[in-house]
Amino acid sequence: MSSSVSRLESWPDRNVVPRWLYISVWALAIAIAVSGIIGVGLGPDTRLVGYALLAIGGGVLAIFSLSTEVRMTLMRDTEEWLPFAVTAVGGFSFVVGVAFAADVFTSVVDVPLSVRLMVLATAFQALLLTVDISFVRLSLRVRVVVLVLSHGAIFAGSLFTVLGEPIVPRAGLLLYASGFASLLLHTFWARTLSSMTDTVDGKLDRQRWETLLLGAIVVGILGATLIVLSAPSGALTLQSPVSRFFVTITGTAAIVALAMISAPQSSPSTLRWVAGPTMAVTLHVMVVFIIVNGIVLSVFVAIPWLFAPVFVGFITLLLVGVALNYAMLVNVWRRDRKDSHSEPTPILEDREVTVVVSAMNDVNALSASLRNNVAALSPLPFLLVPAARSTDGTTELMRAVQDDYPDRVRVVEGTGGSKGGDLNEVWDLVETPYALVLDADEVVGLSFVTQALRVLSARPDVGIVQGRKSAMYPDTSLLSWFTSMERQHSTWIDQSFSDDILAAAHFAGSAAVIRREVLPAVDGFNPKMLTEDIDLTTRLYLETDWDIEYVPEMVAKELLPGTWMSLLQQRERWSRGWAQVAARRIGPVFRSWRSLGVRRTFGLSWLLFLAVSAPLFTIFPALTLPTIVLENPLGLSPAVALGLAMFLLPERAISFLYAVFRDPEIQMSMTPRRIVATVVFAYLWIAFGWVVQFHSLYLHFSGAPQIWAVTQKEQPVVRSDLEGEEVTL
């Protein structure tokens, strides 16, 4: 096995031909193919020469890709015949397909242009499919989804090409663009993850080539869309200068994308600027966005009558979501008007609750929270769980607190590899009936615990009492203001509605009091899940009779992400984790509607759907462009359009304004500046949510590792005079 891995670490420009020769021929092939594209776009006088150059350059690039896969297949230490057979069949199919497309067999049989184009597309499909057969770094489900969507789009494009002979129709072009973009991406992921090293330089080279590939895909699909828009009726032609220009741009992008499949191992120094995280996230979002919209638009162009029902479904989905958000406002307004209950007396005579604090590389947050929690939550025992991977002094700080409170504090190093795994390992050490689970940056008072115990005593069916998380420093910077207002809306309005109306409260991973027997009832946390708390929630509802209660009056103060990138990384992990749970649990939730009840089934399904809803909610460009492309688009009367706008558009601003300025925990004065900033940020959060979901989906389908990473939090203010019931930093 080790010899196989070491040999797979080589790259196509090594060992077979000199590196300089490989790079030279590869670059020359790109230049020849691009020259051919330019020749085709210049006009009839240079078109034949352009086709010839395109065939030569593109053919060399395709052969490079095929030869690389053949070589990698031969290098594998395996006796399985399937990879060899698929590679051989793929290569043979590609050669025959190119020969057919080039009309080599004209003397034998007369092949129509539409058929030759279809055969050429199929040949490239066979070529790219050879890369996937031995690729095991992605789950089978992901591979099937990507391959079905990409090959399905290409097959549909070929069908429309044959039906629309002699020239590729508009729908065929869009389907080809979206399908081959998806397939090239999948091929690149498979090739690089199977063969490139995990060294720092290898990762940087991979990121640079990937950036060029993503940029080419963006340009290619946008170019194909512009070609379609420039020819609003009939078949596509190269008669107008505008269409020829767009064809040149699109073809050049296609050549660059194809070249990335067989790119050399090392990238030129001039590409250093393209490997930054901002560039990567931007391109990830753009690629997913335009592929989704490209496929939807191609369907509308091919089958115009589908536009009306899809448009109605889209508007209906928006109306349902916005109506629920208005209902959330009504619910929190009603709660706000109720008389506040008297606080329970914060006295705990017996040690009923163990405080469990897990942390990894959180020494800064712990320095502000841990001693204050130990002092404020007297006489409760503490179980501190530093991750074994911690390297910043987290373990040492926890042991120092243990030395100061030896009768109440115990430190047990967690070796589970994740937060969920660590909690599983130490849960048997919890000797009290209940456990208060806290993150390293959270601070609570005794009233938090006593309110939870009051609920648990009154309702034996409740297994988890979830408290609300509120920002310690909500307005110290633009980032904290941006983040805090969304947390206010989420934890005060959204989660209260989920519990009160939908009966679908969820465990949020911390700031919760849990009965000791709850975790063993579902075999603990799943350490492989990025959001082990949401997975536990769904399994608790599906497999047990335990309920979850959300009490917004139980407030834990928390630190917010300290940088914009850390906020993105935190939400990316949440998004990928929610998507994981949605893929596994939304089906069982639907099938268990009798035991769950209609309200809870809808509530859980809606929460899981929202985690993966961005591709559906962001097809508005594909719903707008048909008004230009289609001859008979769906029309709305001005009165109906105005009514929809008045209902849909203001909701976000109203919800966030109420959350920010009516929040009982965070008192904010209503200044004009804050009002304007709240409205602007409210709508920016929609776009930010889409960015997070698209970026997460890209990472998931590309096989990026699922890492439980620590979120860099804002710098805490350490105060030593915090004791008693109310703890505020």
Side-chain angles (χ1 to χ4, degrees), residues 302-476:
I303 313 173
W305 61 265
L306 277 179
F307 175 72
V310 172
F311 184 87
V312 171
F314 179 80
I315 294 298
T316 301
L317 193 61
L318 281 180
L319 290 174
V320 170
V322 172
L324 286 174
N325 289 340
Y326 279 123
M328 292 178 188
L329 280 178
V330 174
N331 178 67
V332 76
W333 176 75
R334 292 175 60 186
R335 290 178 61 100
D336 200 20
R337 287 175 58 88
K338 292 181 180 179
D339 293 334
S340 59
H341 297 287
S342 59
E343 292 289 334
T345 304
I347 297 177
L348 294 176
E349 296 293 343
D350 300 324
R351 295 190 175 189
E352 298 180 280
V353 182
T354 298
V355 184
V356 182
V357 182
S358 62
M360 185 183 80
N361 289 337
D362 275 316
V363 68
N364 288 333
L366 283 171
S367 65
S369 66
L370 184 54
R371 293 183 182 277
N372 292 309
N373 280 331
V374 172
L377 297 178
S378 177
L380 301 182
F382 276 67
L383 179 60
L384 307 183
V385 190
R389 295 182 293 159
S390 294
T391 57
D392 69 337
T394 293
T395 303
E396 290 75 9
L397 175 60
M398 286 185 167
R399 294 197 183 280
V401 175
Q402 176 183 243
D403 293 339
D404 293 340
Y405 299 89
D407 58 330
R408 292 177 53 209
V409 177
R410 180 180 181 183
V411 177
V412 179
E413 190 174 78
T415 58
S418 67
K419 176 183 174 181
D422 288 349
L423 291 178
N424 287 339
E425 290 190 344
V426 304
W427 199 254
D428 287 340
L429 302 178
V430 176
E431 299 176 349
T432 54
Y434 312 104
L436 166 59
V437 178
L438 294 176
D439 278 344
D441 63 313
E442 293 172 343
V443 177
V444 300
L446 276 179
S447 65
F448 187 99
V449 180
T450 53
Q451 288 183 83
L453 292 179
R454 184 175 61 181
V455 174
L456 292 167
S457 298
R459 292 190 54 189
D461 62 315
V462 172
I464 300 176
V465 180
Q466 177 64 55
R468 181 190 170 191
K469 302 180 182 183
S470 181
M472 288 185 192
Y473 313 116
D475 61 350
T476 55

Side-chain angles (χ1 to χ4, degrees), residues 25-64:
V25 176
W26 178 77
L28 180 61
I30 296 175
I32 292 174
V34 171
S35 300
I37 289 292
I38 295 174
V40 172
L42 288 178
D45 295 338
T46 59
R47 192 163 296 162
L48 290 178
V49 176
Y51 281 134
L53 293 175
L54 177 60
I56 295 172
V60 170
L61 291 175
I63 291 173
F64 269 34

Side-chain angles (χ1 to χ4, degrees), residues 71 139 157 183 271 297 363 372 388 411 472 529 588 634 725:
R71 181 169 167 271
S139 68
L183 198 55
L271 296 180
L297 180 60
V363 68
N372 292 309
V411 177
M472 288 185 192
M529 305 296 287
L634 179 67
E725 161 57 16

Side-chain angles (χ1 to χ4, degrees), residues 423-680:
L423 291 178
N424 287 339
E425 290 190 344
V426 304
W427 199 254
D428 287 340
L429 302 178
V430 176
E431 299 176 349
T432 54
Y434 312 104
L436 166 59
V437 178
L438 294 176
D439 278 344
D441 63 313
E442 293 172 343
V443 177
V444 300
L446 276 179
S447 65
F448 187 99
V449 180
T450 53
Q451 288 183 83
L453 292 179
R454 184 175 61 181
V455 174
L456 292 167
S457 298
R459 292 190 54 189
D461 62 315
V462 172
I464 300 176
V465 180
Q466 177 64 55
R468 181 190 170 191
K469 302 180 182 183
S470 181
M472 288 185 192
Y473 313 116
D475 61 350
T476 55
S477 66
L478 189 66
L479 172 61
S480 64
W481 177 248
F482 179 77
T483 308
S484 175
M485 61 185 297
E486 188 275 338
R487 294 294 280 163
Q488 290 174 266
H489 187 277
S490 172
T491 61
W492 185 42
I493 295 180
D494 289 7
Q495 292 186 38
S496 296
F497 181 81
S498 294
D499 184 36
D500 296 341
I501 307 302
L502 301 180
H506 66 268
F507 171 50
S510 61
V513 177
I514 307 175
R515 292 186 191 269
R516 186 185 180 280
E517 60 265 34
V518 165
L519 259 62
V522 289
D523 295 326
F525 293 103
N526 185 343
K528 296 182 180 179
M529 305 296 287
L530 287 174
T531 49
E532 71 288 333
D533 47 2
I534 307 304
D535 176 70
L536 179 74
T537 297
T538 55
R539 289 190 290 123
L540 207 64
Y541 283 133
L542 290 170
E543 301 171 10
T544 74
D545 294 327
W546 290 118
D547 201 354
I548 300 174
E549 181 79 7
Y550 183 71
V551 182
E553 293 77 21
M554 293 167 48
V555 179
K557 294 294 184 179
E558 66 173 356
L559 294 174
L560 300 174
T563 65
W564 290 98
M565 187 55 64
S566 63
L567 173 63
L568 177 65
Q569 292 171 343
Q570 179 196 64
R571 298 309 172 97
E572 169 210 310
R573 180 175 64 85
W574 291 358
S575 180
R576 293 187 70 181
W578 275 84
Q580 273 184 306
V581 178
R584 294 189 182 192
R585 309 297 181 196
I586 198 167
V589 166
F590 271 119
R591 292 191 295 270
S592 303
W593 67 271
R594 289 183 179 86
S595 59
L596 294 175
V598 175
R599 280 197 308 157
R600 180 167 291 168
T601 299
F602 174 79
L604 291 175
S605 301
W606 183 254
L607 288 175
L608 296 176
F609 163 74
L610 290 179
V612 293
S613 62
L616 293 178
F617 281 119
T618 53
I619 63 170
F620 53 85
L623 294 171
T624 303
L625 289 177
T627 60
I628 303 172
V629 179
L630 301 180
E631 287 76 12
N632 297 305
L634 179 67
L636 294 176
S637 66
V640 173
L642 180 61
L644 287 173
M646 291 180 64
F647 179 78
L648 296 173
L649 296 181
E651 178 275 322
R652 191 72 173 181
I654 295 172
S655 296
F656 270 66
L657 286 170
Y658 193 93
V660 170
F661 296 110
R662 295 287 297 178
D663 189 342
E665 292 301 323
I666 301 177
Q667 304 296 325
M668 289 289 178
S669 58
M670 294 185 66
T671 65
R673 177 177 175 272
R674 281 180 171 170
I675 293 174
V676 172
T678 300
V679 173
V680 172

Side-chain angles (χ1 to χ4, degrees), residues 171-301:
L173 177 61
L174 287 173
L175 286 167
Y176 276 155
S178 300
F180 274 114
S182 304
L183 198 55
L184 284 169
L185 268 176
H186 183 70
T187 302
F188 181 84
W189 299 331
R191 177 67 55 77
T192 55
L193 290 177
S194 295
S195 60
M196 290 193 77
T197 65
D198 289 328
T199 63
V200 174
D201 291 339
K203 290 180 179 179
L204 287 176
D205 288 321
R206 182 192 313 170
Q207 291 171 4
R208 293 165 184 170
W209 293 129
E210 184 180 30
T211 300
L212 289 186
L213 173 62
L214 295 175
I217 287 175
V218 170
V219 173
I221 295 182
L222 291 179
T225 304
L226 291 173
I227 293 172
V228 170
L229 295 179
S230 65
S233 62
L236 300 175
T237 66
L238 294 177
Q239 300 301 319
S240 68
V242 174
S243 63
R244 292 199 298 268
F245 173 76
F246 290 146
V247 166
T248 302
I249 297 298
T250 304
T252 301
I255 292 300
V256 173
L258 177 61
M260 294 303 103
I261 305 303
S262 56
Q265 180 186 25
S266 58
S267 59
S269 58
T270 53
L271 296 180
R272 291 175 181 172
W273 63 274
V274 303
T278 302
M279 176 70 73
V281 172
T282 301
L283 287 174
H284 292 173
V285 174
M286 291 181 65
V287 162
V288 178
F289 182 82
I290 65 172
I291 287 178
V292 170
N293 278 275
I295 292 176
V296 174
L297 180 60
S298 64
V299 172
F300 292 156
V301 173

